Amino acid sequence: MSGRPERLWPLFAEIQSLDGIGPKTAQALAQTGIEAIRDLLFTLPYSGIDRRPRDTIRGADLPATLTVPVVVGQHRPPRKRGGAYRIEVDDAAMRFQIVYFHARPEYLMRLLPPGSRRLVSGRVELFDNVPQMTHPDHVLDSADAGSMPEFEPVYPLTAGVTQKIMTKAVAHALAKAPDLAEWIDPALVAKEGWPGWRDALSAAHAPDHTGNLAPTDVNRARLAYDELLAHQLTLALARRARRTRPGKITQGDGRLRTIVRGALEFSPTGAQLRALDEITADMACPERMNRLLQGDVGSGKTLVALLALLNAVEAGGQGVMMAPTEILARQHYDGLAPMAQTAGVALELLTGRDKGAERVRKLAALTAGEIDILVGTHAVFQDDVVFADLRLAIVDEQHRFGVRQRMELGRKGEGADVLVMTATPIPRSLALAQYGDMDVSVLDEKPPGRQPVQTALISEERMTEVVDHLRRAILEGRQAYWVCPLVEESETSDLAAAEARYAHLRAALGEDAVGLVHGQMPPADKDAAMARFNAGKTALLVATTVIEVGVNVPNASIMVIERAEAFGLAQLHQLRGRVGRGTAASTCVLLYRPPLGEAGMRRLTTLRETEDGFRIAEVDLEMRGAGDVIGVAQSGVPRFRIADLERQAGLMATAQSDARRLLEFDPELKTERGRAARTLLWLMRQDEAIRLISVG
Ligand code: ADP
Ligand code: MG
């Protein structure tokens, strides 16, 4: 691996090598992720203080931070130890006081000698109707007055680091920033009017006015673009690395798919057919497919998955489908089993529960090619699971899976095509950040005949009415879920709450009518509870959020979510998606504990107003910010220091196409611009990308 370019060395020096940064400050900065000089440079001011001098503080709207020339008057030391040291000053129109606590009088005499002229700047407040400036930020004599910027940047701070230290450190750091060759497409630079990297950086640290702090400022936009481009280059490199490894050509003859489609009671939606066309086209190509199938809850991803798997089987190969939980794996298995039987396809289930001889038998059958389609949990990707001829790997509901894990999965089946299915609609900017290395199919059409889910917000003070309503519904033969709250971090208290609610509802609705399922139940009990509900033997299923993703019981038409205000928007949307799957009209009751806070109110009313997963996702992004929405830690999406995914979605899209184009044109990053792009990857600490270039 070639090393980090020499020009960047100064930027990767420890922060402590800067003048004025001692070990204590360095340690404090490290707490906020600032370790190298580059980290400091990419920490931009978030606000600024107007330090333009005025003649007098008279007429200012107090309290305010003001800058004013004064003539220093009398010093009035405190009468008691620890009291206020007051210095009277006159500006052009009035007298006020500068106040210090715990300052040495000799120092103050030197700083503000009586009779001298000074430019002072600081926060002025009224105390007993007398304006005073306590501990001015700046006291300058006339000779130095020019050294104060008219608009002073304000940096995010951490304990032990002051604005003064930050400002000085940044100035020293900027002096070390080298000129770097341009890595952005020159046409884009020209179109946007972006300055070069170093100029943009200097300017971003020296804002003139508030407008310079906005993401739309040219300097900031350019620096944000650098971050996004580096990320998209990494994804594009990963994509290329996968595509250049040979895949298999999988082209079924359609015989199994015809049988299955003939046996369906419905015809696929246009969106399902489009997605299938995209998938089968990818599978027929020698490159490996790496595709995301995005579809809101209930959009019918399972059918698309099944038909894609059958394509693999028709071509003489195998397919695997992985679900995140036991319940879902089993449900997929149960759902696919009749279809598989109709088509004469060997389907098997493998989960962590398979042990001993049973597991050995399944693995042997898999290796011998006697199993066509394997469904399971993470267990299907263990080292000793060996396929005879794996063609297609499908990962369901893996929105919790990140770029890195997908890369691992790709390594599993030699040349197998990969399809990731997610039921979490995500705004375009986030999709690009998280799945920019993939191609995307969207199921943007729901199967016909769905009735909208009526959503109601009801205070838990009216719980008795809700239970009465449930009783009547159950008598009519309807089924319902009751989701118990996430009380605290601890799972045991969740469980206690669920069990208490279970006991309460059994007492109210009859012992036989109510079932319980939660994450800590023995797996066999969980299955049994789900099976009873599925078969309609229990009418009400009390559950913790284990039912959140994918569970499909079409007859269930009521969803009660207790303490709904404690759940996130995406989760509520997923939970509600469990109903409205059949033809009966469905209801979702969001039980909340009053008083409802502002954020809780916004979430619940959003949910009441729309069932559109993409709309809900946009609100979620707006309310929580990108980092929280994708769960940065595991997603492989870096925490951008400058780029703002909510407000710079357009830049992300541009970065993706720019990165892909650059690699098409210069796959080895060897041209002048390619080499500059390598520097960018080093600068942005894109280690994964650098590894990919050096192996490629
Ligand atoms: P999801 O995208 O949430 O995984 P599913 O695949 O579980 O959705 O499908 C939800 C329900 O819709 C299932 O009961 C399925 O049988 C049904 N379904 C799927 N496709 C269609 C269609 N084209 N027409 C009618 N119903 C469909
Ligand atoms: Mg599903």
Side-chain angles (χ1 to χ4, degrees):
M1 185 190 299
S2 56
R4 179 187 292 146
E6 220 170 303
R7 292 188 74 75
L8 294 183
W9 290 359
L11 294 178
F12 282 82
E14 283 176 27
I15 201 108
Q16 218 177 306
S17 65
L18 289 173
D19 286 347
I21 302 269
K24 275 227 179 79
T25 311
Q27 221 171 39
L29 287 170
Q31 300 291 314
T32 59
I34 300 178
E35 286 174 343
I37 289 176
R38 71 168 286 291
D39 305 328
L40 187 66
L41 287 175
F42 291 136
T43 305
L44 299 185
Y46 68 92
S47 130
I49 300 170
D50 188 345
R51 299 266 186 211
R52 271 172 301 177
R54 46 197 291 144
D55 292 342
T56 173
I57 66 168
R58 168 165 287 163
D61 211 358
L62 298 183
T65 297
L66 301 173
T67 303
V68 59
V70 294
V71 177
V72 182
Q74 208 188 352
H75 282 227
R76 293 205 265 116
R79 275 186 227 113
K80 285 183 299 204
R81 263 174 71 90
Y85 189 114
R86 296 171 190 280
I87 301 167
E88 283 182 347
V89 296
D90 291 293
D91 67 19
M94 70 177 288
R95 171 164 295 181
F96 62 98
Q97 294 185 342
I98 295 179
V99 176
Y100 285 90
F101 292 91
H102 307 292
R104 279 175 299 117
E106 315 82 76
Y107 165 74
L108 294 178
M109 274 297 180
R110 249 183 300 126
L111 188 68
L112 291 155
S116 65
R117 292 179 175 279
R118 290 289 183 268
L119 182 67
V120 296
S121 183
R123 192 172 160 81
V124 182
E125 283 171 288
L126 282 180
F127 278 100
D128 295 328
N129 269 325
V130 182
Q132 61 183 48
M133 183 186 283
T134 307
H135 290 235
D137 302 327
H138 298 277
V139 176
L140 301 171
D141 61 33
S142 333
D144 288 341
S147 73
M148 188 170 54
E150 293 204 333
F151 190 75
E152 189 179 73
V154 177
Y155 289 94
L157 295 182
T158 171
V161 182
T162 61
Q163 291 299 345
K164 270 206 182 100
I165 294 178
M166 276 300 278
T167 311
K168 254 186 31 209
V170 166
H172 287 304
L174 277 170
K176 293 191 187 282
D179 261 325
L180 297 174
E182 186 56 84
W183 44 72
I184 304 177
D185 178 8
L188 182 62
V189 170
K191 179 176 147 243
E192 300 287 345
W194 283 340
W197 176 74
R198 205 171 76 126
D199 289 345
L201 201 58
S202 306
H205 282 287
D208 277 345
H209 54 89
T210 318
N212 290 152
L213 299 164
T216 44
D217 173 70
V218 277
N219 303 295
R220 287 197 176 228
R222 190 240 138 88
L223 296 173
Y225 188 78
D226 289 343
E227 278 187 307
L228 301 176
L229 181 63
H231 178 55
Q232 288 299 338
L233 269 171
T234 304
L235 294 175
L237 282 162
R239 179 168 182 266
R240 193 179 59 97
R242 237 186 339 252
R243 290 170 76 88
T244 49
R245 257 179 290 145
K248 295 172 182 170
I249 294 180
T250 299
Q251 227 165 352
D253 56 12
R255 78 198 132 85
L256 301 174
R257 281 171 285 171
T258 308
I259 299 175
V260 165
R261 281 185 56 179
L264 288 176
E265 294 151 17
F266 49 77
S267 33
T269 62
Q272 283 171 321
L273 291 175
R274 269 196 304 281
L276 269 168
D277 282 348
E278 287 163 351
I279 292 165
T280 46
D282 277 3
M283 290 175 75
C285 280
E287 280 105 42
R288 303 177 64 179
M289 171 170 78
N290 187 39
R291 184 169 283 279
L292 176 73
L293 178 61
Q294 227 196 81
D296 207 350
V297 286
S299 57
K301 291 182 292 297
T302 316
L303 178 65
V304 175
L306 172 66
L307 294 174
L309 288 165
L310 290 177
N311 183 35
V313 179
E314 286 167 10
Q318 295 166 299
V320 61
M321 172 135 133
M322 182 174 85
T325 65
E326 294 269 351
I327 288 187
L328 284 172
R330 184 161 294 275
Q331 183 182 285
H332 275 313
Y333 175 79
D334 293 341
L336 298 182
M339 292 294 178
Q341 195 161 18
T342 310
V345 161
L347 178 76
E348 192 52 271
L349 176 71
L350 183 74
T351 72
R353 271 189 249 165
D354 289 295
K355 301 254 153 65
E358 183 64 4
R359 183 162 191 276
V360 171
R361 184 190 65 73
K362 286 183 185 177
L363 295 190
L366 196 65
T367 311
E370 289 155 18
I371 295 173
D372 297 315
I373 298 176
L374 184 68
V375 175
T377 53
H378 292 81
V380 300
F381 289 123
Q382 275 157 11
D383 281 342
D384 56 348
V385 179
V386 180
F387 292 83
D389 182 11
L390 181 63
R391 297 298 185 93
L392 175 63
I394 299 183
V395 183
D396 184 23
E397 313 283 7
Q398 282 298 356
H399 49 279
R400 295 181 191 83
F401 251 43
V403 175
R404 206 136 302 146
Q405 282 130 318
R406 286 203 304 278
M407 289 180 178
E408 264 163 38
L409 190 134
R411 271 169 219 139
K412 183 74 199 178
E414 286 306 307
D417 290 318
V418 174
L419 180 70
V420 175
M421 304 200 296
T422 171
T424 312
I426 35 181
R428 178 164 162 73
S429 58
L430 294 194
L432 285 167
Q434 196 175 7
Y435 299 110
D437 57 329
M438 309 182 84
D439 300 303
V440 180
S441 297
V442 183
L443 294 183
D444 49 7
E445 185 184 345
K446 287 206 175 182
R450 294 285 161 75
Q451 297 201 35
V453 178
Q454 286 295 334
T455 300
L457 272 56
I458 299 181
S459 157
E460 66 179 18
E461 286 156 359
R462 292 168 54 201
M463 183 153 342
T464 320
E465 285 169 52
V466 173
V467 174
D468 288 342
H469 177 84
L470 273 178
R471 185 180 300 113
R472 282 194 300 276
I474 288 170
L475 284 175
E476 290 165 14
R478 296 173 68 183
Q479 285 183 284
Y481 297 97
W482 186 295
V483 177
C484 290
L486 295 158
V487 186
E488 259 137 48
E489 292 300 306
S490 119
E491 286 184 29
T492 39
S493 48
D494 283 0
L495 192 53
E499 273 169 347
R501 184 61 65 217
Y502 172 59
H504 161 221
L505 290 169
R506 262 159 75 101
L509 301 171
E511 305 241 318
D512 296 336
V514 187
L516 173 68
V517 55
H518 60 73
Q520 284 159 59
M521 267 167 127
D525 294 2
K526 229 194 288 184
D527 291 348
M530 284 307 297
R532 274 196 302 276
F533 186 63
N534 230 323
K537 289 188 183 130
T538 40
L540 178 69
L541 186 65
V542 177
T544 53
T545 47
V546 291
I547 62 152
E548 177 189 346
V549 279
V551 168
N552 187 24
V553 178
N555 190 48
S557 60
I558 302 172
M559 166 66 64
V560 181
I561 304 173
E562 197 175 337
R563 302 272 334 243
E565 77 279 6
F567 292 92
L569 257 179
Q571 207 175 16
L572 289 169
H573 177 62
Q574 283 290 328
L575 287 168
R576 181 172 58 181
R578 299 308 106 211
V579 296
R581 302 172 82 83
T583 41
S586 298
T587 316
C588 175
V589 176
L590 302 173
L591 274 180
Y592 65 88
R593 176 170 298 180
L596 208 44
E598 198 181 315
M601 179 67 116
R602 172 115 197 258
R603 285 198 296 271
L604 300 191
T605 48
T606 300
L607 217 67
R608 183 176 59 195
E609 280 154 22
T610 183
E611 275 191 78
D612 178 344
F614 284 93
R615 263 269 336 265
I616 291 171
E618 297 283 355
V619 175
D620 199 25
L621 177 62
E622 202 182 296
M623 288 183 73
R624 286 199 299 153
D628 288 334
V629 172
I630 21 189
V632 172
Q634 16 172 358
S635 65
V637 178
R639 201 173 274 287
F640 298 113
R641 273 193 179 263
I642 298 171
D644 176 337
L645 287 188
E646 289 106 280
R647 283 182 288 179
Q648 291 173 324
L651 283 186
M652 182 64 107
T654 310
Q656 185 188 58
S657 53
D658 193 16
R660 288 188 179 183
R661 221 168 332 106
L662 174 61
L663 282 184
E664 253 162 55
F665 173 71
D666 180 13
E668 318 257 282
L669 295 181
K670 289 228 159 99
T671 61
E672 198 183 327
R673 191 181 156 212
R675 284 201 310 273
R678 279 174 188 254
T679 305
L680 171 69
L681 291 171
W682 280 106
L683 179 63
M684 294 300 174
R685 291 206 168 106
Q686 297 288 304
D687 301 13
E688 186 76 6
I690 289 157
R691 204 183 54 71
L692 285 169
I693 327 174
S694 30
V695 293

